Amino acid sequence: VEFRRGAMYMYCDSALFWDAPGAIQAYGNVRMEQGDTLFVYADELTYADTTRLAVLYANGVKKVRLINRDVTLTTDIFNYDLGIELGYYEVGGVLTDPKNRLTSYYGEYSPSTKDALFRDDVKLHSMRKNDTLDIFSEQMLYNTATHIAVLDTTSTILSKDGTIHTTDGVYNTDTQEADLYSRSLVVSKNGNTLTGDTLYYD
């Protein structure tokens, strides 16, 4: 079965379709495609044209997968808003790019801007060889193109070189440089500490 809504195509093995007001229930090998860069795979899907929201479900064995070039997002239930081209999960998920792996309870991702927002039990782990970077926070804005993490709540940055505690900072995971504000604290591996209203840390 094949459906199209604007530039988004959806394929499945079988479906129920209501012409008015425009709703779909899709089953089996569900696949959404937009251009040659955005793909979403699931086992079931519901879509309502009144909200332009597609909800995709996993079958308990495989996860729902969004693939956008070199970015992969996996979760059990994935919501994709076709109106604003934004996907989000509320049941825990994982986003990976070539540099980092991010996990959280809530997450959203915009394929067009590459911005991702994570909330609740957020962890960033570096995927690069010999890199010991881990970031823990309750909220993080991350861009999969620049690999920059924006931290605006209580956060801890850990590496073999030391620990950073901040509630207001920007960390570039490519260059390992940080702009830190609001009395952030840097603790080096030998125990030295540095606190300041504004810190630049390399």
Side-chain angles (χ1 to χ4, degrees), residues 64-128:
V64 179
R65 292 178 298 134
L66 176 146
I67 299 173
N68 181 218
R69 296 189 185 275
D70 57 2
V71 175
T72 301
L73 186 153
T74 60
T75 185
D76 289 320
I77 302 173
F78 185 66
N79 306 276
Y80 192 79
D81 189 323
L82 276 69
I84 58 175
E85 296 185 0
L86 179 74
Y88 63 94
Y89 59 82
E90 302 173 296
V91 294
V94 180
L95 183 145
T96 57
D97 63 25
K99 299 295 180 70
N100 300 298
R101 180 178 188 270
L102 298 105
T103 61
S104 66
Y105 185 78
Y106 173 89
E108 58 186 54
Y109 175 68
S110 168
S112 58
T113 65
K114 312 302 180 188
D115 283 331
L117 175 67
F118 303 94
R119 294 195 193 105
D120 301 326
D121 198 21
V122 183
K123 179 182 179 182
L124 180 151
H125 176 71
S126 175
M127 303 285 286
R128 288 170 293 190

Side-chain angles (χ1 to χ4, degrees), residues 2-11 17 21-24 32-35 47-54 80-83 85:
E2 176 181 329
F3 293 94
R4 179 178 66 83
R5 182 66 171 84
M8 181 67 77
Y9 287 81
M10 192 277 288
Y11 306 89
F17 172 64
I24 301 168
M32 293 173 61
E33 295 183 5
Q34 186 166 325
Y47 172 79
D49 212 32
T50 53
T51 60
R52 300 191 68 177
L53 181 68
Y80 192 79
D81 189 323
L82 276 69
E85 296 185 0

